[in-house]
């Protein structure tokens, strides 16, 4: 009589499988594999497996796995194919061991699968039975397939990177640790997938998954990961400027299941990149400079200035952010007409609701570029972020009422220098051409007209947040497509800084006025300097010039605008955000219709942090890393904190450095023990009451 066949053990062959599936970096005991690609399991039996023995493997996902829902796969190695598109075969059967090869469907739901093995009436459940199944950019059958290996390395496997911030004319990079392979990060992503309560069939679809994650990375509707805060007061949490990566945020969220305080756009984008890469969807952070937030879908942002050229904060619901960071994810769009595969924009910063929830995308870059803004999801909103017009109005009191005069319309200032980290190198790649045709080209105008036909622009009436009953000046009816008016005088404005802007020193700025047409011209010039946060919110007005300039023919004149350090020092210390220097100039030529507005935003410059460490180190052998900072500014830096993190080298650490007087040098050291091979990055950031973020990164190679 034959004894019952029993399974006595399963070897998940973790190191072999995870190497082939590019999942060996995940810091987790379980097997992590990618869909549509074979992995092997070794089963041990109580006796040899015979031809008549029954053997079935069950892979189940969700609370009650069922075959009819496609959430339970019953795989019999003796039948060729399962209806679900999964495959199983016996590779080798010898003695009491059997080597099996399992290939999941390239469109299987992504998530945690439980495994049990049925032999006759016996069911074997292994310990640590969860197998994590991810999207697979290496598999041609998967809709997230990405053909280029260097791009897969960057957009799926790179766990460090940088996010571009600043302003259109002074872009700098902020290092960011994505850390998608660190402890608990994969489990956090699985928790978020469960929390999004999708039908399990939706979990196969990166369109649904990326949209759901864009909603869950902010906490607005669903107690998601991060609470946004732009108030300038972060006492009850962590200032958005103090994060240097996603790991601490996601780990804290997973442990408390409560939103983490606080995020702003680059933090949301950094965390969303981590979540996408962790799940296997290729992703990148995208920074758009002069990003429009158009609340009314009319492709227009109104900017209100007083007679000194100072921006009036409270007049408009629309805003222009110096930069805004969102994400692109890579996928085929089977849900759309042909031709919209590839990069799709998604955004987890809560700005506008979409289908009643703060979520945004995925929206094909091609739809934005071509003006196909009828396509889902949120294409009108993203289109406006990179294409809106800026309309400048001057507001003056006339007989006690506000009178609005339209000064100028700028059609090229929004959506500049769209940036992401280059593939395989620490350089900025400009991807503006993936979002829009060259400004002023035939294609751009055609795309603009197409987009405008789906977006109903209102008349050219200034739209203040209170309705104005005052007289209106120059109310035009149909503003699209606006052409820059050719001026009689060839009037031009340029704003420059004579020296680098160091906090604690005077700001030496200048406005250059130029004319190029023959004749005598008298020009009324107003120029103002304000401090603003990156969302365009004015934090302080520092000073202005108002002059009448006389120019003959082709000539130019420079008007200095100097701001003493005392004028802005208090604001620097009182605002918890990084502030930028914003200069606006208005020129009007007397006796003509020539009016012009020019604005520019500049960043302060800071002394650097120096990192001292060897270029290479050995696995599991300690080395020392030192961080040195000299305060070269003309002012003390109060409450200095140094934040450091090195994935695979040491856990995040904070050094309290106290107050650092001018000329003082501080040095902090950390002992590193490398636990992973390859190139590793150390990131450091110094924050203080006055200066919000001086950061540095340095690479070290770990060898065996």
């Amino acid at each position: 009589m034959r004894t019952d066949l029993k399974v006595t053990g399963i070897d998940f062959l973790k190191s072999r499988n995870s190497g082939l599936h590019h999942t060996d970096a995940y810091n987790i005991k379980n097997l992590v594999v990618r869909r549509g690609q074979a992995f092997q399991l070794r089963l041990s039996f109580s006796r040899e497996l015979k031809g008549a023995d029954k053997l079935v493997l069950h892979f189940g996902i969700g609370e009650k796995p069922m075959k009819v829902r496609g959430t339970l796969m019953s795989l019999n190695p003796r039948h060729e194919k399962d209806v679900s598109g999964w495959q199983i075969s016996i590779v080798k059967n010898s003695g009491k061991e059997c080597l099996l090869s399992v290939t999941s469907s390239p469109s299987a739901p992504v998530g945690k699968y439980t495994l049990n093995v049925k032999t006759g009436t016996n069911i074997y459940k292994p310990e640590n039975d969860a197998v994590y199944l991810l999207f697979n950019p290496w598999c041609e059958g998967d809709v997230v397939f990405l053909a280029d290996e260097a791009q897969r390395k960057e957009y799926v496997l790179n766990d460090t990177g940088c996010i571009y911030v600043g302003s259109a004319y002074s872009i700098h990079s902020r290092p960011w640790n994505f850390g998608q392979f660190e402890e608990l990060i994969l489990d956090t992503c699985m928790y978020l997938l469960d929390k999004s309560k999708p039908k399990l069939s939706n979990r196969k679809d990166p369109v649904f998954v990326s949209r759901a994650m864009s909603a869950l990375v902010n906490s607005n509707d669903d107690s998601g990961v991060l609470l946004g805060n732009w108030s300038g007061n972060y006492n009850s949490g962590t200032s958005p400027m103090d994060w240097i990566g996603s790991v601490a945020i996601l780990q804290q969220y997973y442990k408390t299941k409560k939103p983490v305080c606080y995020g702003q756009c680059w933090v949301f984008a950094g965390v969303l990149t981590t979540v996408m890469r962790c799940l296997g969807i290729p992703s990148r952070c995208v920074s758009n400079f002069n990003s429009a937030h158009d609340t009314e879908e009319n492709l227009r942002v109104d900017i209100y200035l007083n007679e000194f050229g100072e921006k009036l904060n409270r007049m408009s619901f629309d805003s222009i952010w110096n930069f805004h960071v969102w994400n692109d994810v890579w996928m085929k769009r089977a849900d759309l007409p042909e031709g919209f595969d590839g990069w799709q924009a998604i955004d987890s910063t809560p700005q506008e609701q979409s289908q009643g929830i703060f979520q945004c995308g995925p929206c094909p870059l091609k739809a934005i570029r071509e003006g196909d803004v009828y396509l889902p999801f949120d294409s009108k909103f993203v289109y406006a972020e990179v294409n809106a017009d800026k309309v400048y109005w001057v507001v003056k009191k006339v007989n006690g009422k506000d009178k609005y005069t339209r000064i100028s319309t700028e059609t090229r200032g929004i959506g500049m220098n769209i940036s992401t980290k280059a593939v395989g190198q620490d350089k900025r790649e400009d991807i503006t051409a993936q979002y829009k045709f060259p400004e002023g080209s035939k294609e751009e105008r055609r795309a603009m007209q197409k987009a405008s036909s789906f977006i109903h622009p209102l008349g050219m009436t200034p739209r203040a947040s209170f309705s104005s009953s005052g007289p209106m000046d120059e109310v035009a009816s149909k503003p699209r497509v606006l052409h820059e008016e050719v001026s009689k005088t060839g009037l031009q404005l340029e704003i420059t800084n004579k020296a680098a802007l160091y906090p604690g020193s005077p700001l030496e700025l200048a406005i250059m006025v130029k004319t190029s047409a023959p004749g005598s011209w008298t020009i009324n010039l107003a120029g103002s300097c304000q401090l603003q946060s990156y969302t365009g919110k004015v934090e302080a007005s520092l000073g202005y010039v108002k002059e009448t300039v006389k120019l003959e023919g082709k000539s130019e004149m420079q008007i200095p605008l100097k701001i003493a350090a005392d004028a802005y020092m208090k604001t620097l210390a009182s605002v918890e955000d990084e502030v930028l220097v914003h200069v606006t100039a208005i020129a009007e030529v007397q006796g003509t219709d020539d009016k012009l507005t020019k604005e520019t935003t500049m960043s302060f410059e800071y002394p650097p942090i120096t990192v001292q460490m060897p270029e290479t180190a050995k696995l599991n052998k300690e080395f020392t890393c030192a961080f040195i900072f000299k305060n070269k500014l003309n002012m003390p830096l109060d409450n200095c904190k140094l934040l450091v993190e090195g994935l695979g080298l040491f856990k995040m650490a904070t050094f309290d450095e106290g107050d650092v007087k001018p000329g003082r040098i501080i040095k902090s050291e950390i002992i590193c023990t490398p636990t992973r091979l390859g190139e590793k990055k150390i990131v450091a950031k110094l924050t203080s009451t006055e200066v919000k973020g001086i950061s540095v990164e340095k690479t070290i190679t770990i060898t065996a």
Side-chain angles (χ1 to χ4, degrees):
M1 182 192 158
R2 235 180 51 221
T3 53
D4 264 1
L5 179 72
K6 285 184 178 163
V7 177
T8 55
I10 295 182
D11 184 347
F12 286 97
L13 304 172
K14 186 169 182 250
S15 63
R16 180 197 296 182
N17 286 324
S18 57
L20 292 168
H21 283 250
H22 309 94
T23 56
D24 41 353
Y26 286 96
N27 185 354
I28 195 165
K29 290 193 181 74
N30 302 62
L31 177 61
V32 182
V33 289
R34 298 186 188 275
R35 62 187 193 173
Q37 185 176 337
F39 61 94
Q40 294 189 338
L41 301 171
R42 185 181 285 123
L43 271 53
S44 309
F45 297 111
S46 53
R47 60 169 173 75
E48 196 180 347
L49 177 69
K50 299 280 201 321
D53 287 321
K54 287 196 165 72
L55 172 65
V56 180
L57 274 70
H58 290 294
F59 285 93
I61 184 171
E63 279 176 18
K64 291 189 182 137
M66 289 161 75
K67 276 189 187 177
V68 288
R69 287 195 189 143
T71 55
L72 180 66
M73 287 14 99
S74 296
L75 306 182
N76 182 336
R78 302 224 167 77
H79 300 164
E80 271 305 280
K81 219 175 180 181
D82 185 73
V83 286
S84 61
W86 290 53
Q87 292 165 309
I88 186 167
S89 60
I90 295 176
V91 180
K92 193 175 171 196
N93 185 18
S94 63
K96 292 181 178 179
E97 285 189 342
C98 175
L99 187 63
L100 295 170
S101 170
V102 178
T103 308
S104 62
S105 158
S107 59
V110 164
K112 257 161 98 167
Y113 283 77
T114 50
L115 166 65
N116 62 58
V117 183
K118 198 172 179 191
T119 50
T121 54
N122 297 307
I123 291 180
Y124 176 80
K125 282 191 169 134
E127 253 189 288
N128 236 358
D129 64 342
V131 174
Y132 291 72
L133 187 68
L134 307 179
F135 289 100
N136 192 354
W138 284 264
C139 167
E140 287 193 38
D142 195 318
V143 285
V144 301
F145 173 66
L146 184 57
D148 183 283
E149 177 59 21
Q151 289 186 353
R152 291 190 294 239
K153 267 195 172 133
E154 182 67 56
Y155 299 136
V156 186
L157 299 180
N158 195 353
D159 59 356
T160 63
C162 60
I163 297 173
Y164 291 95
V165 297
S167 65
Y169 305 106
S170 107
I171 297 173
H172 49 267
S173 72
R174 198 171 272 169
W176 193 265
N177 281 336
F178 299 115
Q180 65 269 36
F181 304 117
E182 300 304 300
E183 201 179 0
L184 297 179
I185 303 302
L186 182 56
D187 280 319
T188 310
C189 293
M190 293 297 152
Y191 170 74
L192 289 170
L193 273 180
D194 288 342
K195 196 171 161 52
S196 69
K197 296 200 176 62
K199 297 207 278 289
L200 278 158
S201 58
N202 283 339
R203 281 205 189 187
K204 11 174 120 159
D205 184 359
V207 173
F208 179 86
V209 170
S210 58
R211 186 160 174 78
M213 293 301 121
S214 86
L216 274 163
V217 165
N218 68 64
S219 66
N220 287 46
D221 310 288
D222 39 34
S223 275
V225 178
L226 261 171
L227 182 61
N229 183 345
W230 285 265
S231 70
N233 177 359
Y234 311 113
N235 292 338
S236 46
T238 301
S239 159
M241 288 299 302
D242 285 4
W243 302 113
I244 48 178
S246 311
V247 179
I249 295 169
L250 287 163
Q251 287 175 342
Q252 182 186 324
Y253 178 71
Y254 187 63
K255 286 170 185 162
T256 64
K257 307 291 192 284
K258 288 191 172 77
V260 176
C261 303
Y262 291 106
Q264 287 177 3
C265 70
W266 69 92
V267 189
F268 287 109
V271 172
L272 190 52
T273 299
T274 302
V275 170
M276 290 292 117
R277 288 184 185 179
C278 185
L279 292 171
I281 299 175
S283 174
R284 62 188 185 186
C285 286
V286 173
S287 301
N288 177 37
F289 291 91
N290 291 347
S291 188
H293 182 169
D294 171 21
T295 54
E296 295 205 345
E297 280 193 354
N298 64 351
L299 288 186
R300 212 183 83 213
V301 175
D302 294 307
I303 298 164
Y304 299 96
L305 307 170
N306 66 14
E307 56 195 290
F308 307 116
E310 292 173 336
K311 206 160 69 165
L312 302 169
N313 245 355
R314 295 176 300 282
M315 301 280 287
S316 177
F317 287 129
D318 288 347
S319 55
I320 295 169
W321 293 20
N322 286 302
F323 65 89
H324 177 40
V325 192
W326 60 74
N327 299 81
D328 284 345
V329 282
W330 179 271
M331 63 186 71
K332 286 195 179 73
R333 288 298 296 269
D335 57 322
L336 298 183
E338 227 173 278
F340 293 99
D341 298 343
W343 289 115
Q344 319 281 322
I346 59 173
D347 191 348
S348 55
T349 299
Q351 294 190 90
E352 295 284 317
Q353 288 189 339
S354 168
Q355 296 178 326
I357 294 176
F358 281 100
Q359 57 189 352
C360 181
C363 163
L365 265 53
K366 187 173 185 279
I368 300 164
R369 193 156 158 250
E370 309 268 352
D372 292 312
V373 295
Y374 58 91
L375 287 170
F377 290 95
D378 310 304
S379 51
K380 288 179 184 159
F381 184 74
V382 182
Y383 184 85
E385 287 184 302
V386 298
N387 281 306
D389 286 344
K390 288 201 274 194
V391 183
Y392 292 97
W393 304 84
V394 168
V395 186
K396 291 180 183 164
K397 281 264 187 271
V398 177
N399 303 329
K401 288 190 173 158
D402 285 337
K403 178 175 187 256
Y404 297 79
T405 309
R406 192 176 97 209
I407 292 283
S408 61
T409 299
E410 191 182 316
T411 60
R412 300 179 176 210
I414 298 287
M416 295 175 76
N417 304 338
I418 304 173
S419 304
T420 191
K421 178 188 170 302
V423 172
Q425 43 187 343
D426 289 325
K427 282 190 5 211
R428 185 179 77 85
E429 183 188 350
D430 193 299
I431 55 169
T432 312
Q434 295 179 31
Y435 272 87
K436 52 207 272 195
F437 289 109
E439 291 286 357
S441 65
K442 270 211 299 266
E443 295 87 352
E444 187 244 1
R445 279 204 287 275
R446 197 178 307 135
M448 187 55 118
Q449 268 153 350
K450 191 198 283 187
S452 301
S453 69
F454 298 108
I455 297 170
H456 306 295
L458 304 168
M460 199 65 179
T461 319
R463 189 181 67 250
S465 51
F466 41 84
S467 88
S468 149
S469 52
M472 290 290 177
D473 215 17
E474 293 194 41
V475 177
S477 53
K478 285 207 168 166
R480 319 283 323 139
V481 166
L482 280 162
H483 299 289
E484 306 270 344
E485 289 111 22
V486 181
S487 85
K488 278 187 198 156
T489 56
L491 178 66
Q492 275 182 299
L493 290 172
E494 265 173 41
I495 299 167
T496 54
N497 50 317
K498 294 179 183 173
L501 309 178
Y502 286 111
S505 302
L507 309 179
E508 308 234 357
L509 308 162
I511 299 165
M512 177 83 82
V513 190
K514 296 181 181 179
T515 51
S516 57
S520 297
W521 309 111
T522 305
I523 298 149
N524 299 337
L525 177 77
S528 73
C529 179
Q530 294 175 302
L531 281 187
Q532 64 174 29
S533 65
Y534 87 98
T535 59
K537 181 174 139 210
V538 176
E539 300 291 354
S541 291
L542 305 182
Y544 62 85
V545 286
K546 217 176 167 190
E547 288 200 16
T548 303
V549 177
K550 287 192 163 60
L551 290 177
E552 293 279 338
K554 189 174 181 181
S555 57
E556 57 184 49
M557 188 185 279
Q558 198 177 55
I559 311 295
L561 174 58
K562 190 170 173 178
I563 308 292
D566 298 352
Y568 65 82
M569 293 298 295
K570 270 203 183 74
T571 307
L572 272 195
S574 65
V575 178
E576 287 191 52
D577 292 306
E578 186 170 36
V579 287
L580 297 121
V581 175
H582 187 77
V583 184
T584 311
I586 309 174
E588 299 186 51
V589 184
Q590 291 181 9
T592 73
D593 289 336
D594 276 7
K595 300 185 180 84
L596 194 58
T597 319
K598 179 93 180 178
E599 55 177 344
T600 192
T601 309
M602 307 172 190
S603 307
F604 282 108
E605 297 199 25
Y606 310 116
I609 302 170
T610 318
V611 183
Q612 287 181 347
M613 64 177 181
E615 281 184 12
T616 61
K618 291 253 186 288
L619 193 66
N620 299 320
K621 290 266 167 43
E622 284 187 355
F623 68 91
T624 304
C625 177
F627 303 92
I628 298 153
F629 174 77
K630 180 178 183 182
N631 181 6
K632 295 177 181 167
L633 301 173
N634 296 331
M635 62 180 201
L637 296 176
D638 301 326
N639 304 318
C640 285
K641 270 195 318 209
L642 182 73
L643 310 149
V644 293
E645 185 177 43
L647 302 180
L649 299 167
F650 59 88
K651 287 254 191 295
M652 192 165 160
T654 306
F655 297 94
D656 280 315
E657 302 290 356
D659 300 346
V660 180
K661 300 215 163 2
R664 192 180 141 210
I665 295 172
I666 52 173
K667 184 176 181 180
S668 311
E669 288 189 337
I670 197 154
I671 306 290
C672 310
T673 311
T675 55
R676 298 206 286 261
L677 290 169
E679 258 198 12
K680 296 289 155 227
K681 265 192 193 152
I682 285 177
V683 173
K685 180 177 237 176
L686 185 82
T687 68
S688 70
T689 306
E690 294 79 10
V691 170
K692 300 308 181 291
I694 301 172
S695 48
V696 67
E697 58 178 351
K698 193 151 185 192
T699 305
I700 184 167
T701 306
I702 309 302
T703 57

